[in-house]
Amino acid sequence: MTQQDNLLSKILLGASDADIPFAQLWQLLNKLGFDERIRGGHYIFTKKSVEEILNLQHKKGKAKPYQVKKVRAVLIKYQLGGQDNAPL
């Protein structure tokens, strides 16, 4: 398993939302085809086929837990990152 696969599994399991490195989450969203723009400390991710906008911030190098939950909800809702949809 690659680092991206491990991160995706960790996010989907939801067992450690407070321990997700922001840089890895940022890389994952970019690999999944999200467009990014930055406004101050806010990293805003959008994707044409996804109606939600993901607004992420980091705290001491980690993603905020409630934002990881939102990313998980989007990944599940749109079935992103699975073997059939977006190879990592």
Side-chain angles (χ1 to χ4, degrees), residues 10 13 22-23 32 35 38 41-42 51-52 71 80 85:
K10 197 173 182 181
L13 287 174
F22 182 82
L32 291 173
D35 296 318
I38 301 171
H42 295 262
E51 144 182 347
E52 290 85 358
V71 169
L80 299 173
N85 298 319

Side-chain angles (χ1 to χ4, degrees), residues 8-70:
L8 184 60
S9 296
K10 197 173 182 181
I11 291 170
L12 292 176
L13 287 174
S16 56
D17 289 345
D19 195 34
I20 303 293
F22 182 82
Q24 290 180 13
L25 183 59
W26 174 79
Q27 288 175 346
L28 176 67
L29 292 173
N30 279 318
K31 288 212 183 241
L32 291 173
F34 281 84
D35 296 318
E36 168 197 10
R37 70 176 199 264
I38 301 171
R39 292 210 158 215
H42 295 262
Y43 293 74
I44 302 163
F45 294 90
T46 58
K47 187 171 177 159
K48 209 171 199 180
S49 61
V50 175
E51 144 182 347
E52 290 85 358
I53 296 171
L54 297 172
N55 183 357
L56 306 180
Q57 299 165 282
H58 61 85
K59 185 175 184 179
K60 298 181 182 177
K62 303 284 183 184
K64 292 184 177 184
Y66 77 93
Q67 294 171 343
V68 173
K69 289 177 187 176
K70 188 170 183 178

